[in-house]
Amino acid sequence: MNTAPPPAPGAAPRPLVDRFGRVHTDLRVSLTDRCNLRCTYCMPAEGPAWLARAEVLGDDEVVRLVRIAVERLGMRSVRLTGGEPLLRRGLTGLVGRIAALGAELSLTTNGIGLARTAAGLREAGLGRVNVSLDTLRPERFAAITRRDRIGDVLAGLAAAKAAGLGPVKVNAVPVRGVNDDEIVELAAFALANGYRMRFIESMPLDAQGAWERSAMVTAEEILARLGERFDLRPVGRPGNAPAEEWRIAGTDAVVGVIASVTRPFCGGCDRVRLTADGQLRACLFATEESDLRALLRGGADDAAIEAAWRVAVAGKGPGHAIGSARFVRPDRPMSAIGG
């Protein structure tokens, strides 16, 4: 039984605020740590050690935590991530239950399986998708992902657009000497197909710990290469979004760059992350987690879970400090955290 009621109908929840005054309204929920690709910048060929099934939150547990986040903590947007979220059994039904809670709902995927699920996910209440695509060349795709599945990804993008999951965003991570020669080509592809292109600086979150800053293509380099082909007009950063945006002159197309390393946006961060095994992370690069799964399975009421959530976010640090002596690499890789 709840020891404290949620806000009365029509009343706004008390904001979820950290010690720096940042209000958190964006929740990233990982539905699985498993993935059907083995991208070289993310994990080793054999994959990391996966979570045991019993460790992963069940549907009812996910829905309850999202409900608490929306009703009691003021979350306005929910992003479903992985691993690869399309691998989650019963995903369409789960999307429907989460969508019914009223927050804006999106999903990040590698696109494999999206061709057969996009229409159902849209009908269930999913609003939009982000699809990862680092190259347009089949042989290079197979080398980067260790899987020959580029046709499935391209079909998934087309299906998402046809289903009305818009805007369809394409995410690419340029890596020096691997795919950085395709920056302009990827942007042109997105422009031609009505997708929204976003480039992401690679981050030290790979499972094998092989990230090197020298291999990272910086935002400055990305924009310089785009500028050789396109006339870019700055749009800025919409709200607290992670991507800085530029409009391609003469079009409605927008290109975004997420420069987590060279242009950190920690001062405006409004995101918290829930891992597939129910751990709350106040920062992508956090070295500590709060165990909400233990509270759920230990019989805690909604008020106790809300209180634990508020304590965790209140202690959030000022930023990730990549590049400084203070930076400590997280134990978990991106595939286990969720984007």
Side-chain angles (χ1 to χ4, degrees):
M1 184 174 180
N2 293 345
T3 57
R14 183 164 60 92
L16 179 61
V17 184
D18 67 17
R19 60 196 168 113
F20 299 98
R22 294 172 294 198
V23 179
H24 294 71
T25 60
D26 186 344
L27 175 63
R28 310 294 173 94
V29 181
S30 175
L31 299 180
T32 178
D33 64 325
R34 296 175 183 267
C35 189
N36 42 14
L37 298 180
R38 298 290 184 271
C39 295
T40 54
Y41 59 80
C42 185
M43 63 179 69
E46 67 277 10
W50 307 120
L51 292 168
R53 187 176 299 277
E55 296 179 88
V56 177
L57 295 178
D59 286 4
D60 290 345
E61 293 173 319
V62 171
V63 172
R64 184 181 174 198
L65 288 176
V66 175
R67 178 180 56 76
I68 291 170
V70 173
E71 294 181 355
R72 305 181 74 107
L73 298 166
M75 293 294 170
R76 296 196 295 268
S77 61
V78 176
R79 169 89 56 87
L80 302 179
T81 70
E84 174 44 54
L86 295 184
L87 294 178
R88 175 88 178 205
R89 292 182 180 178
L91 176 61
T92 300
L94 181 58
V95 163
R97 294 177 65 184
I98 295 173
L101 299 173
E104 175 187 325
L105 185 58
S106 60
L107 180 142
T108 295
T109 173
N110 62 29
I112 296 174
L114 190 57
R116 67 174 182 274
T117 57
L121 290 171
R122 180 72 183 96
E123 186 175 354
L126 187 68
R128 58 182 177 82
V129 292
N130 291 18
V131 179
S132 298
L133 180 64
D134 296 312
T135 177
L136 296 170
R137 305 175 190 179
E139 68 287 352
R140 183 175 284 180
F141 183 94
I144 292 174
T145 68
R146 303 185 177 100
R147 301 289 188 271
D148 187 12
R149 304 294 297 273
I150 191 171
D152 297 289
V153 180
L154 296 176
L157 280 166
K161 182 180 178 183
L165 289 168
V168 176
K169 296 182 180 180
V170 178
N171 292 346
V173 179
V175 178
R176 196 175 311 284
V178 176
N179 64 336
D180 57 323
D181 57 338
E182 288 189 75
I183 289 172
V184 169
E185 189 176 346
L186 282 162
F189 162 79
L191 176 62
N193 287 279
Y195 307 141
R196 186 171 294 182
M197 192 70 221
R198 304 201 313 175
F199 295 98
I200 304 172
E201 289 182 343
S202 67
M203 294 176 281
L205 288 169
D206 55 308
Q208 63 271 40
W211 181 85
E212 294 182 356
R213 190 181 180 113
S214 60
M216 180 189 71
V217 182
T218 68
E220 184 177 359
E221 292 175 274
I222 292 167
L223 291 169
R225 296 193 191 187
L226 290 173
E228 294 172 0
R229 169 75 177 273
F230 304 108
D231 181 5
L232 300 179
R233 307 293 175 85
V235 175
R237 192 188 306 278
N240 292 323
E244 293 182 75
E245 293 185 341
W246 286 260
R247 188 173 304 282
I248 298 175
T251 76
D252 292 328
V254 173
V255 176
V257 178
I258 300 177
S260 299
V261 178
T262 65
R263 301 182 182 182
F265 39 88
C266 303
C269 180
D270 64 350
R271 288 167 293 287
V272 292
R273 289 171 169 81
L274 184 66
T275 66
D277 56 345
Q279 307 303 303
L280 181 67
R281 299 177 65 89
C283 173
L284 180 61
F285 294 94
T287 55
E288 296 181 354
E289 299 175 333
S290 297
D291 191 351
L292 299 188
R293 184 187 65 189
L295 291 175
L296 282 173
R297 297 182 180 179
D301 64 16
D302 287 1
I305 294 171
E306 175 191 354
W309 206 311
R310 290 188 183 280
V311 168
V313 170
K316 183 174 181 175
H320 55 57
I322 294 175
S324 78
R326 296 183 292 109
F327 178 68
V328 178
R329 186 187 177 102
D331 291 334
R332 291 210 203 211
M334 177 67 91
S335 59
I337 295 171

